Amino acid sequence: MTTESTAVDRCRNGDCQLVRLLFVTQSGVVRTHAVDASKVESAIEDGVTLSQLVQTYNALGIRDKNGRFDAAGEVRLRPDPGTFRELPYAECTGAMLCDIETVDGEPWTVDPRSSLRAFVRKMEREGLSPEAAFESEFHLFETDDEGTVHRVDERGAYATESTRETHGVILSMIDSLKSQDIPVEKYYPEYAAGKHEIVTGRAAGVRSADEHVLLRETVNAIARDHGYGSTFLPKPFEHSTNGCHIHLSLWDDANRFYTGESGGLSPTARHFIGGVLTHAHALTALTAPTANSYARLRPQLGATGFACWGHGNREALVRVPAVGGSDPATATRIEFRAADCTANPYLALLGILAAGYDGIDREIAPPEPVAVDPATLSDGELEERAVERLPRTLGAALEEFESDRVLREALGDELFETYLQVKRSHWDQFTDSAGAWERDRLRSVY
């Protein structure tokens, strides 16, 4: 039975009445159209019409009127039947992830999901099949009758009391993810009060990004069902951050990052790291894509403020995690730490893969690993070790991104330019509001 007929039959024979067609725009926001279950077969075969304008909305849902698309253009959502899930948190409802095509049925060059797939296939032809896992951090909070926000617990720092206080909602999230065939490997209350992390298992290429989209939807829905608010915002409260650490390895018949020695990295892995560090400043525009992201990307916040790498170093851009002795051939990987959940996961993964592939292609050797917190090094030591500060603002990251030839080639001109315009719109709105704040505050002083 084909995946298409399986999805159609599950709609016909189950309790599913409505199917959400999920996609992620340049803004990183998950968006949807929905069709009645009786229309699923035609949606898979013919697609569902969508305005091109949706791709020009920034994170606030405001259209960039100077963008490359206007009201006349249309494309089609093409549901991927292999991604069909019945949603355990939404009565009588299913979901599918979508590609976006032209009205003639060709891949739309502005679609992040199909662009990632195309790059993955390019790597696979070279015997490099990427597998990834997204570590997703989020906060739970409550809002009282006066509109004041309170984090669900005030303990944090991995306290067992935090697990007891939120056990019901977390267990519902994990059960819901497992029922959608998303493996959950670990959960813990994170460092800050009200902060939690769910770690899912690794998956191949596009599927890993699909599962991250489904996780975001699940966390928000289950939190709401339990009377909580939830947020993936990178800097949601003082003394709190949310990240999205992306774990990566490359495979053929075996893990190409593994040397055969426990804790060792292959030349392929080292060159991949070299490529990521070479393009680090531009990459942040894809992986940390909101103005708020840069309140998190600061030294000594457990995120990263510097372009460097290290074994077990949680202040480095690229961390090489320690692996257990039972199966190092499977577990050897790298972790990219300058990402958060405001990113479009397809574009974030595409950018990291493109940077790493460039490192492999050009055999870029990384500098020596950093074994200390880079913030404790003097300016001279940072320069000697070729450790640079990452961009401090989205505006600075976009400047780096605009001039990065490798990322432009990987995304293609149309996707690259569309993304750049949407994110500049986001940055312009932020700086305009900052200017208004400054005028309002200082007018009463001077």
Side-chain angles (χ1 to χ4, degrees):
M1 184 178 290
T2 66
T3 54
E4 178 177 340
S5 60
T6 300
V8 172
D9 286 345
R10 288 174 71 180
C11 289
R12 286 175 178 165
N13 303 328
D15 295 326
C16 186
Q17 298 177 14
L18 197 65
V19 178
R20 297 174 185 171
L21 309 182
L22 304 177
F23 62 104
V24 187
T25 58
Q26 316 300 324
S27 65
V29 175
V30 183
R31 304 188 188 275
T32 187
H33 276 209
V35 295
D36 185 83
S38 64
K39 299 296 183 182
V40 166
E41 187 171 11
S42 63
I44 293 172
E45 291 180 357
D46 302 327
V48 174
T49 303
L50 178 74
S51 172
Q52 292 180 345
L53 282 178
V54 177
Q55 291 292 340
T56 69
Y57 294 167
N58 64 25
L60 299 175
I62 298 173
R63 168 190 168 190
D64 178 11
K65 295 183 180 179
N66 296 318
R68 59 194 304 108
F69 303 116
D70 60 30
E74 291 185 326
V75 287
R76 296 186 191 276
L77 285 177
R78 178 74 68 175
D80 180 346
T83 67
F84 178 84
R85 268 86 163 176
E86 292 183 39
L87 299 179
Y89 53 79
E91 184 179 4
C92 302
T93 302
M96 286 185 281
L97 281 303
C98 297
D99 290 333
I100 306 179
E101 298 179 345
T102 68
V103 292
D104 298 322
E106 297 297 321
W108 192 33
T109 54
V110 177
D111 175 36
R113 187 172 186 265
S114 55
S115 296
L116 171 60
R117 181 187 296 106
F119 196 86
V120 167
R121 287 175 176 168
K122 172 183 175 180
M123 295 186 70
E124 289 173 341
R125 290 193 291 270
E126 301 293 329
L128 300 168
S129 297
E131 296 196 356
F134 290 73
E135 284 186 359
S136 306
E137 298 173 348
F138 58 93
H139 278 68
L140 296 175
F141 60 89
E142 296 173 306
T143 305
D144 63 25
D145 293 339
E146 297 179 354
T148 303
V149 172
H150 305 275
R151 283 178 272 184
V152 171
D153 67 82
E154 293 299 329
R155 294 164 185 84
Y158 320 111
T160 56
E161 184 61 29
S162 293
T163 66
R164 291 190 284 272
E165 196 160 334
T166 57
H167 176 72
V169 63
I170 295 297
L171 187 60
S172 293
M173 290 174 183
I174 291 173
D175 286 345
S176 181
L177 290 169
K178 288 180 177 179
S179 75
Q180 296 171 75
D181 296 322
I182 300 174
V184 176
E185 295 195 343
K186 187 167 59 173
Y187 154 76
Y188 50 93
E190 253 279 8
Y191 180 77
K195 179 178 176 181
H196 302 268
E197 178 171 323
I198 294 177
V199 181
T200 56
R202 77 175 197 271
V206 174
R207 175 166 179 154
S208 65
D210 286 343
E211 291 183 352
H212 177 66
V213 174
L214 292 170
L215 180 142
R216 284 170 55 182
E217 291 289 286
T218 300
V219 166
N220 286 332
I222 297 293
R224 184 184 180 92
D225 287 347
H226 283 74
Y228 297 130
S230 57
T231 181
F232 291 95
L233 191 69
K235 183 74 172 176
F237 305 102
E238 286 300 315
H239 312 298
S240 294
T241 63
N242 286 320
C244 180
H245 305 145
I246 302 175
H247 292 249
L248 279 161
S249 51
L250 299 179
W251 295 73
D252 45 23
D253 294 330
N255 185 354
R256 295 285 298 274
F257 280 4
Y258 179 59
T259 61
E261 301 176 3
S262 181
L265 286 179
S266 69
T268 298
R270 293 178 67 86
H271 292 149
F272 191 98
I273 292 170
V276 169
L277 295 180
T278 297
H279 299 280
H281 294 74
L283 268 179
T284 57
L286 292 172
T287 63
T290 61
N292 182 265
S293 297
Y294 295 83
R296 171 181 172 265
L297 290 189
R298 294 180 179 178
Q300 299 186 318
L301 283 184
T304 181
F306 295 92
C308 61
W309 74 287
H311 294 272
N313 192 337
R314 296 175 187 273
E315 287 289 340
L317 173 66
V318 177
R319 178 175 78 102
V320 180
V323 298
S326 61
D327 194 9
T330 298
T332 297
R333 64 198 186 279
I334 67 167
E335 177 193 54
F336 183 91
R337 295 180 61 80
D340 62 60
C341 291
T342 65
N344 181 313
Y346 305 103
L347 293 181
L349 185 54
L350 172 54
I352 296 169
L353 291 175
Y357 182 81
D358 183 53
I360 294 170
D361 185 53
R362 295 197 286 139
E363 297 186 348
I364 300 174
E368 289 299 308
V370 176
V372 299
D373 181 346
T376 65
L377 300 175
S378 68
D379 289 346
E381 289 172 319
L382 291 171
E383 183 176 359
E384 182 181 347
R385 299 186 187 206
V387 176
E388 296 182 344
R389 182 74 163 85
L390 289 172
R392 289 170 167 81
T393 67
L394 176 61
L398 291 173
E399 292 298 320
E400 297 283 352
F401 178 73
E402 184 178 23
S403 62
D404 193 294
R405 175 189 56 80
V406 167
L407 295 185
R408 175 183 284 274
E409 182 178 346
L411 272 67
D413 285 338
E414 279 202 291
L415 176 55
F416 187 94
E417 291 293 342
T418 301
Y419 183 83
L420 185 61
Q421 289 171 352
V422 168
K423 289 304 172 181
R424 278 189 168 151
S425 168
H426 176 111
W427 177 244
D428 288 345
Q429 283 190 269
F430 171 75
T431 53
D432 288 348
S433 65
W437 176 89
E438 181 186 40
R439 288 192 301 272
D440 291 344
R441 293 295 296 269
L442 294 181
R443 188 180 298 119
S444 63
V445 178
Y446 297 101

